Amino acid sequence: KKVVIITGASRGFGELIAKKFQKENYQVIATMRNVDSSPSLKKLKNIDIKKLDVTIKSDIKNVVDFTIKKHGRIDILINNAGYGAMGFLEEASDEEIKYQFNVNLFGLIDCIKAVIPQMRKQKDGVIINISSIAGRAGLPFTSLYNSSKFAVEGLTESLHYELSLFGIDIKTVAPGSFRTGFHDSIIYTEKEKKDDLAGIRDELKNGIEAGIKDGPPFPFNYGNNNDVAEFVYDCSVNKKKVTNFVGRDTKIINLFIKIFGKRMFFRIIKKIWFSKILTRKKNRWCNTILKDYCLFAFF
């Protein structure tokens, strides 16, 4: 059997991706911080559940060593583990900033470094980094999350060149709006709160919470989570671009930026946020669909 390692497989996309590969007769190494957090995976054959916190290098080494010793190969690595840090940058502590990048970027890098030697030995392998539409365009109040995903995109593009020398394919899959466990893992960076930002901060948090609850309006809407699992599998077994987007909303956003450019995109986002949060005036030149969606599409 071909062997796939998946990080962050306890819920959401990671769990669905694990089930998809298991269904396709792969040997799945489903990793998670708490090995008891996904009872549904324990019931399936061809799945080894292993403890892995991507911020702990010894965990990564243990999983890779176990996989090679038991199965003799590593064909695919799916870097899915991650979370979103939201808030004003000036209110984020050094600890909060570093943890966002330790999980979303440095942990991902450590996982890649750990599997490369085996893939080079095989002269074959696929690495897929689960990114986000947040790696394409930024939004207010999400500077840490956005920058971590931009970094993943840049890292992947650069590694594409060097890993191709060894027969290793690397690419990103960037989902748009889907209702997953990601929303439950959002952390607001507020360890260095500023009193004069309290009112605006609360407004922004309320807006984010409302957007998550209500979801993007038609024609965007939340996508089908299984579509992401199917798409990730397709990217794993077929030749695809280095950067791949999944979800109707991602196509609309990319088309908008391609036609009108990011300058217009920035103007719309500023108009929406400043009118909603600061002046509370109605935005006359942006319809309700675009208004609601632009606020929350990237979460």
Side-chain angles (χ1 to χ4, degrees):
K1 294 181 185 298
K2 287 192 172 183
V3 179
V4 55
I5 297 176
I6 305 168
T7 69
S10 63
R11 61 180 180 176
F13 292 147
E15 185 178 41
L16 293 175
I17 292 168
K19 290 179 178 178
K20 172 61 180 176
F21 276 93
Q22 187 272 344
K23 184 179 178 181
E24 297 294 336
N25 205 33
Y26 277 71
Q27 178 60 49
V28 177
I29 314 299
T31 74
M32 55 200 73
R33 289 183 297 175
N34 180 0
V35 295
D36 296 319
S37 57
S38 183
S40 64
L41 291 182
K42 288 187 175 182
K43 301 176 182 178
L44 301 176
K45 296 180 180 179
N46 305 335
I47 292 186
D48 294 317
I49 297 179
K50 301 297 293 181
K51 178 185 179 300
L52 173 59
D53 182 332
V54 296
T55 67
I56 302 175
K57 290 187 178 184
S58 60
D59 279 5
I60 298 173
K61 184 179 186 303
N62 289 340
V63 168
V64 171
D65 289 349
F66 164 85
T67 303
I68 295 173
K69 183 176 181 179
K70 183 176 181 179
H71 302 291
R73 60 187 299 110
I74 299 173
D75 296 282
I76 302 170
L77 168 66
I78 310 290
N79 279 313
N80 173 71
Y83 80 99
M86 311 292 176
F88 287 116
L89 180 63
E90 66 177 296
E91 293 191 321
S93 67
D94 289 346
E95 178 186 3
E96 290 171 319
I97 294 170
K98 290 176 181 177
Y99 190 68
Q100 174 73 107
F101 281 85
N102 282 340
V103 174
N104 287 11
L105 179 63
F106 298 128
L108 176 145
I109 289 174
D110 288 337
C111 288
I112 292 173
K113 289 180 64 179
V115 303
I116 285 177
Q118 179 62 32
M119 288 184 173
R120 280 199 296 108
K121 182 179 178 181
Q122 298 166 185
K123 298 181 180 179
D124 181 63
V126 177
I127 299 170
I128 293 185
N129 298 324
I130 304 300
S131 178
S132 168
I133 188 64
R136 175 79 168 103
L139 281 178
F141 216 51
T142 62
S143 57
L144 294 180
Y145 179 67
N146 277 123
S147 56
S148 71
K149 291 302 183 181
F150 267 77
V152 168
E153 292 289 345
L155 172 77
T156 305
E157 288 189 12
S158 182
L159 283 178
H160 171 73
Y161 297 109
E162 63 184 75
L163 294 183
S164 66
L165 297 172
F166 312 111
I168 303 171
D169 191 17
I170 187 168
K171 61 198 81 172
T172 63
V173 170
S177 297
F178 292 84
R179 192 180 289 280
T180 69
F182 173 82
H183 297 139
D184 299 327
S185 67
I186 288 176
I187 295 176
Y188 292 103
T189 53
E190 301 176 353
K191 287 192 175 181
E192 296 185 4
K193 285 185 178 181
K194 304 294 191 299
D195 292 340
D196 57 338
L197 291 176
I200 300 176
R201 182 199 314 117
D202 290 343
E203 291 282 358
L204 289 170
K205 287 173 65 175
N206 290 338
I208 290 174
E209 299 296 336
I212 291 172
K213 179 181 178 181
D214 298 337
F218 179 84
F220 303 101
N221 300 328
Y222 281 122
N224 185 331
N225 293 354
N226 285 306
D227 290 345
V228 176
E230 295 283 345
F231 189 74
V232 169
Y233 176 77
D234 186 37
C235 287
S236 301
V237 299
N238 296 307
K239 290 293 183 182
K240 295 287 185 179
K241 297 181 292 184
V242 178
T243 300
N244 302 277
F245 296 93
V246 56
R248 181 192 303 174
D249 52 347
T250 63
K251 296 178 182 178
I252 294 174
I253 291 172
N254 279 311
L255 180 62
F256 180 91
I257 292 175
K258 183 176 181 179
I259 295 174
F260 299 105
K262 279 197 173 180
R263 182 180 179 184
M264 178 61 74
F265 185 82
F266 293 155
R267 288 182 62 191
I268 291 176
I269 296 299
K270 286 181 179 178
K271 189 75 173 179
I272 293 169
W273 280 81
F274 294 168
S275 64
K276 182 179 180 65
I277 304 303
L278 299 181
T279 67
R280 296 182 174 278
K281 292 180 180 178
K282 267 193 173 182
N283 190 330
R284 298 177 180 177
W285 61 289
C286 189
N287 62 49
T288 302
I289 290 178
L290 183 59
K291 177 180 179 181
D292 290 342
Y293 179 70
C294 285
L295 280 170
F296 312 112
F298 301 154
F299 303 148

